Amino acid sequence: EAPSIKTTATINGKKEASVNDSGDLIIQDKVCYTNLEVGRKYTAYASLADADGKTVADVIASGAAVNFTPASKNGCVTVELKINKDKIKTSTNLTVYEQVKLDGTIIARHEEKGNKDQTVTITVPGTPTPTPSSTMKVNAVRSTETGVLGNNIPLSTSLLSSGIALA
């Protein structure tokens, strides 16, 4: 069975925070995986997207990746992203997109625009607070050969995904 991931993002332990909160704004992205090989070194990556699904790298001050070696085939790791408060000018929803790589190859990803479990809200006083949406789409990819499928996902001998069929 191909590896897969499920994720939950919070900001300072909640789903919403304000740029006026004291201290740093830290997104904690809990990445739970299934079917990884025990003892292999993996890297979990996190990136942020706005409500339109566009990547917004400039708001990340630090973090965004963690190396881990699973002791069992199923488990969880947390990726932390420190937010640069100065880059947030209006209240916004940020959705965390995740990838798990083995030897530089994406083996699982969770990138759902507006998914409520992956989305946190950062408010700026005096601007309207956005409403999170709820959609769901999970892709898992196992790559052993060269090739490209959509969004630069390496194509290989096996692909597991909801709603995609290979001819």
Side-chain angles (χ1 to χ4, degrees):
E1 200 172 314
S4 64
I5 57 175
K6 181 179 177 183
T7 61
T8 305
T10 57
I11 186 161
N12 295 351
K14 304 175 289 185
K15 293 302 283 179
E16 185 175 309
S18 170
V19 293
N20 288 350
D21 290 352
S22 62
D24 294 328
L25 292 180
I26 307 287
I27 294 176
Q28 298 89 16
D29 189 37
K30 184 176 181 181
V31 179
C32 293
Y33 53 84
T34 58
N35 300 316
L36 295 189
E37 294 179 51
V38 174
R40 302 280 310 262
K41 183 179 178 182
Y42 294 86
T43 305
Y45 293 91
S47 60
L48 296 176
D50 64 15
D52 295 323
K54 295 179 186 157
T55 302
V56 287
D58 64 331
V59 301
I60 302 173
S62 63
V66 64
N67 294 317
F68 66 101
T69 304
S72 64
K73 72 178 194 169
N74 304 325
C76 299
V77 296
T78 299
V79 181
E80 292 192 342
L81 299 100
K82 182 178 176 183
I83 301 302
N84 184 346
K85 291 182 186 182
D86 296 337
K87 298 288 184 179
I88 307 290
K89 301 299 183 196
T90 61
S91 295
T92 187
N93 286 331
L94 294 174
T95 302
V96 186
Y97 287 177
E98 302 84 6
Q99 298 177 346
V100 173
K101 292 184 180 183
L102 175 64
D103 299 327
T105 300
I106 299 169
I107 60 159
R109 67 185 327 135
H110 191 195
E111 299 177 345
E112 301 174 43
K113 182 174 83 169
N115 176 278
K116 65 179 179 143
D117 289 336
Q118 291 176 263
T119 301
V120 296
T121 301
I122 300 176
T123 60
V124 176
T127 66
T129 301
T131 304
S133 65
S134 60
T135 60
M136 184 162 207
K137 178 181 169 191
V138 177
N139 294 329
V141 176
R142 175 93 176 152
S143 178
T144 54
E145 298 177 17
T146 57
V148 175
L149 173 69
N151 298 329
N152 294 318
I153 301 170
L155 177 61
S156 72
T157 55
S158 64
L159 172 68
L160 171 65
S161 178
S162 176
I164 295 179
L166 298 179

